[in-house]
Amino acid sequence: MTAASREILGRFIVLEGGDGAGTTTQLRLIGEALTRAGAAHWITSEPTANPEGLLIRRILSGELAREPGTLARLFAADRNEHLRGDGGILDRIGRGETVVCDRYVLSSLAYQGVACGMALPAELNSGFPLPELLIYFDLPPEQSLGRLGDRERLDIFEELSFQERVRSAYLEALALLSSSGMRILRIDASRSVAEVSRDILGAIGETLGLSLGDDVR
Ligand code: TMP
């Protein structure tokens, strides 16, 4: 499927970026802003907390060793259930909610693109609709990995040379999808939480036709 023929899902917003880029903090702030604006919404993330996602977490932590192609297929299976399963993304959007998701198709194109080549994740993800707005948190990996702090154990992907390749793969995948009709906002995530939040809430407000304050706490 060419980028231009991909389905775009209205009221679906996705945050993407390397590990430690700050999407989790911003996801919380977006949820708070949508609540203040009285907009029905669902804040969610991938990998999910469904059984497929929990299995993925065991592989990411290194507890379970699996071949990269297996992991690529598990991410696609987790995504399919998240999107099409009962109470999933399509259901919520169908009920009029805005869905904001931390990681989606682009994560597979970038991470699995590096781990096992772009062809497999591109094929596995070709049938998933794209979000109306994709926000890419751009941050040099030396900075983003520094933000992960002194966690005792890092996931298998949280390593500098891998993250550098992931960043290049993200930029390549974003270029490929630039003609898809999805709005792409690339933000400089090295700035303060408040500055990043102002840009993001502005873009989401524009997309949804809402005024979202940037009341960062
Ligand atoms: P998190 O740290 O944002 O919770 O994400 C878990 C890890 O999973 C992160 O290193 C990115 C990786 N990942 C993929 O490799 N492919 C995917 O499709 C998704 C959603 C995440």
Side-chain angles (χ1 to χ4, degrees), residues 30-76:
I30 294 166
E32 290 171 4
L34 290 170
T35 300
R36 281 196 302 276
H41 63 278
W42 187 39
I43 298 293
T44 186
S45 57
E46 294 187 2
T48 69
N50 291 328
E52 296 83 354
L54 297 180
L55 179 56
I56 290 171
R57 288 275 175 210
R58 292 178 61 200
I59 299 167
L60 293 176
S61 71
E63 179 201 334
L64 200 62
R66 285 294 179 271
E67 194 273 321
T70 305
L71 187 56
R73 290 172 171 89
L74 286 172
F75 274 117

Side-chain angles (χ1 to χ4, degrees), residues 2 14 16 19 23 50 76 98-99 109 112-113 115 125 128 135 140 145 171 185 191 193 199 210 213-215:
T2 64
V14 168
E16 289 282 0
D19 288 270
T23 55
N50 291 328
T98 291
V99 175
L109 298 181
Q112 278 63 60
N125 286 276
F128 296 126
I135 303 173
L145 285 183
L171 298 180
L185 177 68
R191 295 168 304 153
V193 169
D199 284 3
L210 289 173
D214 57 352
D215 182 15

Side-chain angles (χ1 to χ4, degrees), residues 17-19 21 106 109-111 114 136-144 159-175 186-190:
D19 288 270
L106 256 282
L109 298 181
Y111 284 78
V114 172
Y136 174 63
F137 287 53
D138 196 15
L139 190 61
E142 312 85 70
Q143 285 182 44
S144 54
E159 194 261 318
L160 185 59
S161 63
F162 186 85
Q163 290 291 323
E164 278 166 350
R165 292 166 68 204
V166 163
R167 189 184 190 200
S168 307
Y170 259 124
L171 298 180
E172 194 187 318
L174 285 170
R186 181 173 162 184
I187 54 153
D188 170 4
S190 68

